[in-house]
Amino acid sequence: MAKPESAQWTAIVALLALALIWGNNWVQMKVAVHYAPPLVFAAIRVFLGALSLFAMMVVLRKPLAPREIQGTLWVGLLQITGVYGLATWALESGGAGKTSVLVYTMPFWTVMLAWIFLGDRIRGLQWVAIGLSLVGLFFILEPQNLQGGLFSKTLAILAGVCWGGGAIVAKKLRQTVDLDLLSFTAWQMLFAAVPLILVALLVPAAPINWTPQFVFALIYNVIPGTAIATLLWLFVLNQLPAGTAGLGLLLNPIVAVFSAWIQLGEQPGLVESVGMLLIAIALILNALHAMRSSLP
């Protein structure tokens, strides 16, 4: 049954709000790692984020018990421990905008991993999108300039690969089990927090500098960046086709690049800008393919 037009417009507004929240969150993460070791900050924000989602489940009177613990654990380790840990680590020396673009190559890693492990065929626009994304990565990585933050860029790309791996596990899991997405996300975050907390406790690191800027960045990551954003995303998924929702998510790295430019003075160079543009075009083509594939 078609969704009411008013509900669809509300979902589009929610998607725009989500892009602003998640896009600006990259700036707040970059601010936070000025005052705390990256993996310590990742551990705190993931654990508090999990608590905020469980609090939402209590308010909404949803069952707290997890389903498919093993699958949820693997998705959490890949999509949260891996993505949040590596991306936050990348931000220690890398720019917020550039890191966000590299992490958002995740749809291409998902397509390629699905091709390798699930036998999904890569079709038409997807090949063009993958080709453009690889060229874009070449421009951003600048292999001719190995001193240009290659370690940070590699961490960001690995975060995208982890997200793709988690997406493959989640896809197979959803084919066999009907999961409540809020509960699924909350348990992912709780499971994912454990290895991050262990690393934070066992690896020597500088103490947190509890400045007002750090406290604000932490609160932003937990409340709007996790709790509110999760509610908005679930609402969007319930009201809009998955392809349309995915296309809307392309605004996130765009907002991140401009937010980092305005707030942090991170102005990308010409070569990096070309790379980012190519990846943005590739993401659009990939989303358009997903939308076309979902049509009856």
Side-chain angles (χ1 to χ4, degrees), residues 68 70-72 74-76 78-79 107 109-123 126 162-179 181 184 188 242 286 289-290 293:
E68 293 296 327
Q70 183 177 357
T72 304
W74 278 111
V75 176
L78 288 166
Q79 287 197 329
W109 305 118
T110 304
V111 169
M112 288 188 281
L113 290 172
W115 179 36
I116 295 169
F117 293 106
L118 302 181
D120 290 358
R121 292 182 60 187
I122 300 177
R123 304 173 184 273
Q126 288 180 309
C162 283
W163 196 98
I168 299 302
V169 177
K171 180 178 180 180
K172 290 185 69 69
L173 194 59
R174 289 196 299 266
Q175 287 174 347
T176 57
V177 184
D178 184 20
L179 295 170
L181 288 179
F184 185 46
Q188 280 182 57
N286 187 69
H289 173 83
S293 299

